[in-house]
Amino acid sequence: MYLQVTNLKKSYGTGEGRQEILKGVDLTMEKGSTASIIGSSGCGKSTLLNCIGGLEVIDDGDIRVDGKSLKGLGKRELGAYRRDSIGFIFQFFNLLPDLNVRDNIRVAERLTDKPIEYGALLDQLGLAGIERKYPNQLSGGQQQRVSIARALIKNPQLLLCDEPTGALDSATAKDTLILLEKSMLPSARPF
Ligand SMILES: Nc1ncnc2c1ncn2[C@@H]1O[C@H](COP(=O)(O)OP(=O)(O)OP(=O)(O)O)[C@@H](O)[C@H]1O
Ligand SMILES: [Mg+2]
């Protein structure tokens, strides 16, 4: 089992205001597989992804990725795990506005010693012609393709996507999902 979430519990707040969001979540995934998490607004989907991605410290239970447990890791170790193992794609892209497309992607490339090849990734995601543009000069779909490239260049073990098409029109959303799925196939990894 590549990803194994066992009896995961996570609350926010303290005392009277304490709210238990994840009340014992179990989830297992094999290497190379894809899963979608569906649920009503506020049910804890982003919280679950943030726990798996090491953005949140968990209260109880365990998360194991490739046999390694996140339990008991401190902020610094979680930071290293995020940097080395996780690619994150967000609904609103979160690109750095003062960097062009190339630099937004290359910043992530520097975080790892096992990046995938920049030029091949650019071609694969159809970004070669817009390398010098800044985020505010791009359409939503183009920005999301840049953020996919930024996540993939690290060659992450896990790609976590939180509503990656939520800010896109339905046709662009469909194209983006197809591209995302293709990009994650081991055979599509350009190395
Ligand atoms: N940092 C935080 N501090 C306190 N409460 C939080 C925090 N983050 C999320 N919550 C609460 O946890 C609950 C779950 O939020 P979460 O963002 O995980 O939901 P979601 O399923 O992703 O919803 P949506 O579909 O609207 O994105 C909500 O009640 C939210 O208010
Ligand atoms: Mg959410």
Side-chain angles (χ1 to χ4, degrees), residues 41-42 44-47 49 91 162-163:
S41 178
K45 304 178 297 293
S46 297
T47 303
L49 287 184
Q91 179 173 1
D162 194 352
E163 310 210 25

Side-chain angles (χ1 to χ4, degrees), residues 5-191:
V5 176
T6 318
N7 195 28
L8 173 60
K9 294 186 179 164
K10 173 72 189 169
S11 351
Y12 289 115
T14 50
E16 292 277 293
R18 184 179 159 97
Q19 208 189 353
E20 192 170 45
I21 307 299
L22 304 178
K23 301 170 182 151
V25 173
D26 293 306
L27 168 74
T28 52
M29 286 181 69
E30 300 287 352
K31 189 167 187 168
S33 65
T34 306
S36 300
I37 297 162
I38 298 169
S40 55
S41 178
C43 74
K45 304 178 297 293
S46 297
T47 303
L48 175 60
L49 287 184
N50 292 342
C51 289
I52 295 171
L55 291 169
E56 295 281 3
V57 177
I58 67 177
D59 297 341
D60 203 0
D62 198 9
I63 298 170
R64 300 182 83 86
V65 178
D66 201 13
K68 288 184 216 93
S69 173
L70 301 195
K71 204 171 178 169
L73 295 189
K75 289 227 153 110
R76 177 189 286 257
E77 293 159 304
L78 280 177
Y81 159 73
R82 275 201 305 275
R83 190 185 62 231
D84 296 338
S85 305
I86 302 295
F88 230 116
I89 297 173
F90 302 94
Q91 179 173 1
F92 296 108
F93 327 128
N94 291 3
L95 298 174
L96 295 168
D98 296 331
L99 298 184
N100 65 21
V101 165
R102 176 192 170 87
D103 292 339
N104 260 287
I105 300 169
R106 292 228 121 146
V107 160
E109 186 182 19
R110 286 193 213 109
L111 296 176
T112 177
D113 53 9
K114 51 170 178 46
I116 58 177
E117 212 261 308
Y118 172 78
L121 186 62
L122 217 62
D123 286 341
Q124 190 186 327
L125 289 166
L127 295 170
I130 58 168
E131 239 190 310
R132 303 283 163 195
K133 289 198 170 184
Y134 287 81
N136 68 0
Q137 299 172 313
L138 303 176
S139 70
Q142 287 171 329
Q143 289 185 64
Q144 197 56 304
R145 279 187 277 136
V146 176
S147 81
I148 292 171
R150 178 183 59 183
L152 288 180
I153 198 153
K154 297 197 303 174
N155 198 11
Q157 286 181 288
L158 275 181
L159 185 66
L160 302 171
C161 310
D162 194 352
E163 310 210 25
T165 61
L168 305 177
D169 66 75
S170 58
T172 312
K174 192 173 170 197
D175 291 346
T176 305
L177 281 181
I178 291 169
L179 200 56
L180 197 51
E181 196 171 9
K182 272 198 206 146
S183 307
M184 280 310 282
L185 290 175
S187 58
R189 301 270 188 123
F191 66 96

